[in-house]
């Protein structure tokens, strides 16, 4: 019997041993062009959220970062450390490079998927599979959000490993799979399919046992080195500890995630029929539809297209075997995401789309030209519709990431206007008064974006209450509700720009917070001086300043000085005192000054009604840490208090649901 041809050398057709004729050039690149058309609108995105975490690590890159870190759940040195180090070296303030790199990865993935499917099932199936993958509605966010590199790199390496395995290059396949695992852990779901891929498509002779052992050893070595895998295995598949609880066996919403996953793979908007149509994508849809029609017309009129329906000797496999391979590539990642991921996201399904796209390609290739083109256009339109979904601020979609990106772009422009350069080591103390906007505060304090914007790793951004002793250089400022940035000279208490209102609430709150930070860092006299001489818009505010100054003296054990100051200070109404305590003590503090503040405001620290009142006020303003603190204070005075216990239970649940990937220094809104 003649030796069977390798898949990598080109399949044969119709059982006659005749290789597929080369497909028209346009049909080969049409899926990649379609992908490019669909993701171009995301090039306007800025860096956001985890992008700044990874850029910050890249700013102080060390080779040790490429080794497993016991303090983190994820180990992705290729898609995080190396990838973002390259972006930082190119320009950390130019997201274009991230969009370009992710687009290149996406185009490579589309071409690889098209090539693999074309070799297995013919030109039509190859074109249709690539087009289906490119048209997935959950995919463009991976280009617009630089952190999508983790999924895209995993997809590219998985497809490269599959192509190598089908071409009988097992060593290359294992290297590709290793790179995929070091890009994103979900890639492990593809190991069974790749290990037995040649056997599934009917290649013989094929040593299944050898392949399974080789890939099994690869996964075992990866799992032994990966700190997150060890954590999951030791904790009964429940992630936690220093990392956010992303993965869970008991807490996953399995059936809901599975339904949403299937809908996402089918380009069905999971927010329902009421999902708004993204009218800004009409031009994108028109251009993409033209690409699909041109590609379909080219490939269906291609004479060799009829060969898609047959099977052959030299590498073309039967439809059932292709379906089996497609399902092996789709079902394991879909199940892994549904069973273990606590916080479901649509873009997670881009990995499983490798299998479903191949399945769609095989199915469309067996249809006449007109129905196939109509179904392809329908799938494309559904994908555009999915891009209009708003699933809430915790789930990144194109609709939900645009508002915080725009606000962050405005914040960067305002900071550069107020501080054109920050070249030396500096502590930047900020108060943020942007109403109902967590994104700006999160980026300033948690992701330390000033370090990236000014390319200066020695900038520390913190709340004024967290002032540190002996700072190298101090900058004190506030971000107003209109996103404008105003600076205060800590020595003269004057504002810049000079037209800023020194009688505004924002000005006073920032200076009061700074005084609190001064006292906590050993400069109580300076803090008291600021509180006593800072402008007050009315007599009531002046009284508050004097009483807060007395509170700082009490916190230092200087009771006689505090008593002298309080003797010449008018009293506060009880409700006003509760309001001031709730405002002042809700801020993140370096030390416990609750009792001194309550006493200075005329509220006895042992007054349970006062403590309850403050607890309610900080709870209503969304200050989690302060609420927990006062709930515990109330429980110490009234064990078993139902309100305090209920608040603590609710906040513990909120803490579990709160996604945190890097340490949070200060309190933040829920």
């Amino acid at each position: 019997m003649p030796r069977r041809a390798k898949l990598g050398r080109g399949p044969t057709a119709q059982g006659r041993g005749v290789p597929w004729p080369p497909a028209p050039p346009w049909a080969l690149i049409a899926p990649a062009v379609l992908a490019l058309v669909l993701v171009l609108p995301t090039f306007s995105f800025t860096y956001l959220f985890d992008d700044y975490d990874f850029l910050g690590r890249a700013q102080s890159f060390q080779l040790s970062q490429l080794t497993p870190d016991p303090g983190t759940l994820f180990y992705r040195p290729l898609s995080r450390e190396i990838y973002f180090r390259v972006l930082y070296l190119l320009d950390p303030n130019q997201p274009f490079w991230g969009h370009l790199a992710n687009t290149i990865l996406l185009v490579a993935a589309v071409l690889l998927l098209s090539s693999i499917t074309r070799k297995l099932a013919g030109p039509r199936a190859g074109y249709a599979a690539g087009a289906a993958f490119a048209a997935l509605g959950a995919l463009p966010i991976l280009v617009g959000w630089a952190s999508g590199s983790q999924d895209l790199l995993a997809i590219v390496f998985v497809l490269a490993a599959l192509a190598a395995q089908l071409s009988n290059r097992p060593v290359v396949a294992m290297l590709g799979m290793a790179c995929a695992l070091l890009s994103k852990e979900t890639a492990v779901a593809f190991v069974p399919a790749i290990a037995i891929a040649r056997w599934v498509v009917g290649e013989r002779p094929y040593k299944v046992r050898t392949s399974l052992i080789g890939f099994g050893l690869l996964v075992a070595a990866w799992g032994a080195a990966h700190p997150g895998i060890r954590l999951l295995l030791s904790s009964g598949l429940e992630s936690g500890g220093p990392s956010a609880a992303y993965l869970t066996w008991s807490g996953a919403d399995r059936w809901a995630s599975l339904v949403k996953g299937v809908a996402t793979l089918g380009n069905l908007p999971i927010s329902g029929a009421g999902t708004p149509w993204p009218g800004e994508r009409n031009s994108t849809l028109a251009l993409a539809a033209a690409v699909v029609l041109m590609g379909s017309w080219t490939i269906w009129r291609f004479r060799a297209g009829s060969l898609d329906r047959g099977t052959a000797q030299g590498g073309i496999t039967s439809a059932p075997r292709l379906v089996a391979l497609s399902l092996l590539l789709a079902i394991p990642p879909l199940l892994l995401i549904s069973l273990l991921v606590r916080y479901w996201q649509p873009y997670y399904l881009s990995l499983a789309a490798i299998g479903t796209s191949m399945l769609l390609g095989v199915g469309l290739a067996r249809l006449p030209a007109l129905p196939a083109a109509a179904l392809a256009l329908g799938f494309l339109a559904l994908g555009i519709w999915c891009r209009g979904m708003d699933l809430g601020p915790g789930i990144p979609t194109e609709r939900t990431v645009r508002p915080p990106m725009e606000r962050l772009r405005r914040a960067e422009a305002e900071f550069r206007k107020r501080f054109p350069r920050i070249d030396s080591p500096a502590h930047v103390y900020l108060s943020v008064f942007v109403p109902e906007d967590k994104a700006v505060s999160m980026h300033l304090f948690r992701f330390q974006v000033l370090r990236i914007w000014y390319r200066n790793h020695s900038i520390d951004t913190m709340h004024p209450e967290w002032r540190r002793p002996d700072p190298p250089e101090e900058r004190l400022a506030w971000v107003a509700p209109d996103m404008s940035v105003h600076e205060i000279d800590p020595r003269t208490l004057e504002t810049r720009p000079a037209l800023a209102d020194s009688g505004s609430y924002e000005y006073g709150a920032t200076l009061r917070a700074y005084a609190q930070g001064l006292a906590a860092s050993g400069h109580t006299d300076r803090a008291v001086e600021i509180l006593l001489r800072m402008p007050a818009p009315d007599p009531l505010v002046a009284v508050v300043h004097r009483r807060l100054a007395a509170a700082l003296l009490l916190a230092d054990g200087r009771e006689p000085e505090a008593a002298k100051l309080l003797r010449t200070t008018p009293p506060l109404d009880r409700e006003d005192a509760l309001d001031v305590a709730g405002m002042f003590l809700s801020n993140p503090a370096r030390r416990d000054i609750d009792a001194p503040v309550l006493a200075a405001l005329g509220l006895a620290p042992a007054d349970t009604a006062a403590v309850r009142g403050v607890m309610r006020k900080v709870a209503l303003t969304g200050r989690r840490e302060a609420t927990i603190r006062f709930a515990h204070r109330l429980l110490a005075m009234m064990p078993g208090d139902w309100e305090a216990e209920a608040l603590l239970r609710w906040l513990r649940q909120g803490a579990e649901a709160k996604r945190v990937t890097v340490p949070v220094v200060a309190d933040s809104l829920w």
Side-chain angles (χ1 to χ4, degrees):
M1 292 181 65
R3 184 179 178 181
R4 302 178 68 85
K6 292 183 180 180
L7 288 173
R9 297 180 180 176
T12 59
Q14 294 287 71
R16 298 189 300 269
V18 181
W20 290 118
W26 170 248
L28 296 176
I29 66 170
V33 174
L34 175 63
L36 183 61
V37 168
L38 291 171
V39 302
L40 274 179
T42 67
F43 270 55
S44 62
F45 285 17
T46 66
Y47 287 132
L48 193 70
F49 299 130
D50 287 353
D51 296 345
Y52 282 107
D53 182 18
F54 304 145
L55 286 169
R57 288 174 58 84
Q59 191 173 33
S60 55
F61 178 78
Q62 297 177 350
L63 287 177
S64 60
Q65 293 175 3
L66 299 179
T67 59
D69 179 3
T72 183
L73 179 65
F74 303 114
Y75 178 49
R76 303 172 183 176
L78 293 183
S79 59
R80 290 188 175 185
E81 271 67 30
I82 293 177
Y83 179 87
F84 279 90
R85 179 59 178 171
V86 173
L87 292 188
Y88 186 86
L89 292 175
L90 289 171
D91 188 347
N93 292 308
Q94 183 47 267
F96 169 80
W97 295 112
H99 303 325
L100 179 62
N102 284 6
T103 300
I104 292 172
L105 290 173
L106 176 59
V107 167
V110 170
L111 292 175
L112 278 168
L113 181 59
S114 296
S115 174
I116 292 169
T117 311
R118 184 172 64 250
K119 290 178 180 179
L120 290 173
R124 284 186 186 177
Y127 163 78
F133 186 74
L136 187 71
L139 209 57
I141 189 70
L142 297 181
V143 171
W145 190 24
S147 294
S149 60
Q150 299 168 95
D151 297 81
L152 290 171
L153 278 167
I155 290 170
V156 169
F157 284 126
V158 163
L159 288 169
L162 178 60
Q165 182 77 344
L166 291 173
S167 298
N168 197 22
R169 291 178 289 174
V171 175
V172 177
M174 291 186 66
L175 287 175
M177 201 63 236
C179 290
L181 292 172
L182 296 178
S183 298
K184 189 162 186 175
E185 291 78 6
T186 317
V188 72
F190 292 94
V191 170
I194 293 175
I196 63 173
R198 295 188 70 238
W199 175 75
V200 171
V201 299
E203 278 291 286
R204 292 181 178 80
Y206 183 61
K207 300 178 180 178
V208 178
R209 181 181 301 176
T210 302
S211 180
L212 289 174
I213 291 174
F215 279 96
L217 291 174
L218 171 65
V219 172
W222 168 74
H226 197 299
I229 301 300
R230 296 199 302 271
L231 172 64
L232 287 174
L233 293 178
S234 63
S235 60
L237 297 180
E238 298 291 338
S239 65
S243 298
Y246 280 85
L247 304 179
T248 175
W249 177 252
S250 61
D253 193 358
R254 297 181 179 86
W255 290 110
S257 295
L258 186 61
V259 171
K260 290 187 291 187
V262 172
T264 299
L265 291 171
N267 267 353
L268 299 174
I270 59 176
S271 51
T275 302
W277 175 262
E280 69 276 10
R281 295 287 175 264
N282 286 339
S283 57
T284 300
L285 175 60
L287 185 56
V291 173
V292 169
L293 288 174
M294 290 177 62
S296 300
W297 179 79
T298 302
I299 200 69
W300 255 262
R301 68 188 294 270
F302 179 46
R303 292 181 180 177
S306 60
L307 301 176
D308 286 294
R309 303 190 186 96
T311 60
Q313 295 178 354
I316 292 299
T317 188
S318 65
R321 289 183 178 274
L322 283 171
V323 170
L325 179 61
S326 301
L327 293 176
L328 277 174
L329 292 168
I331 292 177
L334 174 62
L335 291 179
L336 182 66
I337 293 167
S338 302
L339 296 177
L340 282 179
V341 174
R342 186 187 299 268
Y343 305 110
W344 184 90
Q345 308 286 347
Y347 69 86
Y348 289 167
L349 278 303
S350 56
L351 284 144
I354 292 173
T356 56
S357 298
M358 184 179 291
L359 192 62
L360 283 171
V362 172
L364 290 177
R366 304 174 71 83
L367 297 177
L370 192 57
L375 288 174
L377 289 175
F379 190 76
L380 171 66
L382 287 173
I384 295 290
W385 189 20
C386 286
R387 295 170 72 169
M389 292 189 302
D390 183 349
L391 304 177
I395 302 180
T397 63
E398 287 187 63
R399 184 72 72 187
T400 55
V401 301
R402 280 195 176 276
M405 284 181 176
E406 292 303 320
R407 289 191 290 269
L408 204 59
R409 184 181 284 114
R410 171 74 187 280
E412 180 179 1
E414 290 293 329
F415 269 96
R416 293 192 183 280
K417 185 193 303 181
R418 183 59 39 225
F419 306 115
R421 299 179 65 89
I422 305 179
D423 296 324
S424 58
H427 290 177
V428 180
Y429 305 119
L430 289 176
S431 293
V432 180
F433 301 98
V434 182
E436 299 181 0
D437 187 343
K438 304 176 186 178
V440 174
S441 294
M442 183 184 297
H443 283 81
L444 288 170
F445 298 116
R446 176 173 153 187
F447 292 117
Q448 295 288 314
V449 292
L450 294 188
R451 295 177 180 175
I452 305 300
W453 291 348
Y454 292 98
R455 301 196 72 164
N456 181 357
H457 190 261
S458 59
I459 296 175
D460 286 328
T461 307
M462 64 193 79
H463 293 269
E465 296 89 345
W466 279 75
R467 182 189 185 273
R468 298 174 188 166
D470 304 318
E473 178 185 351
E474 286 187 311
R475 301 289 184 92
L476 179 63
W478 82 83
V479 181
D482 64 356
M483 298 295 294
S484 59
V485 178
H486 304 268
E487 184 180 9
I488 302 175
D489 188 325
R491 295 165 298 177
T492 66
L493 307 188
E494 294 178 353
T495 61
R496 288 190 290 266
L499 296 178
D501 184 5
S502 60
S504 68
Y505 168 78
E506 291 83 7
Y507 171 85
T510 302
L511 270 183
R512 287 190 291 270
Y514 180 63
Q516 186 179 348
L518 279 169
S521 57
H523 297 276
T524 302
D525 289 335
R526 173 65 176 150
V528 171
E529 176 194 354
I530 287 176
L531 286 170
L532 294 181
R533 77 179 180 90
M534 63 185 286
D538 57 57
L540 176 61
V541 174
V543 170
V544 169
H545 289 169
R546 292 176 65 84
R547 290 190 170 272
L548 291 178
L552 297 181
L553 291 170
L554 287 173
D556 273 7
R558 297 161 65 175
E559 287 85 357
E561 296 173 70
K564 181 180 178 180
L565 184 58
L566 289 172
R567 277 196 298 269
T568 59
T569 303
L572 282 175
D573 176 83
R574 181 178 176 86
E575 194 59 35
D576 288 338
L578 288 173
D579 286 339
V580 172
M583 175 273 298
F584 194 71
L585 295 175
S586 67
N587 295 333
R590 294 184 63 206
R591 60 176 180 169
D592 183 2
I593 59 171
D594 294 349
V597 169
L598 291 174
L601 293 173
L603 302 168
D607 183 346
T608 56
V611 172
R612 185 185 303 278
V614 176
M615 179 185 72
R616 289 173 176 174
K617 289 183 182 297
V618 294
L620 289 173
T621 56
R623 300 293 182 173
R624 180 176 178 273
E625 299 302 327
T627 305
I628 292 174
R629 193 172 72 246
F630 271 89
H632 283 301
R633 183 178 292 276
L634 184 59
L635 285 172
M637 294 187 289
M638 299 182 63
D641 182 80
W642 71 269
E643 185 177 5
E645 289 185 341
L647 266 176
L648 289 175
R649 284 195 301 270
W650 182 60
L651 289 173
R652 289 192 193 103
Q653 294 172 357
E656 291 176 359
K658 189 175 181 181
R659 298 180 56 180
V660 178
T661 56
V662 293
V664 179
V665 173
D667 199 356
S668 60
L669 296 176
W670 301 333

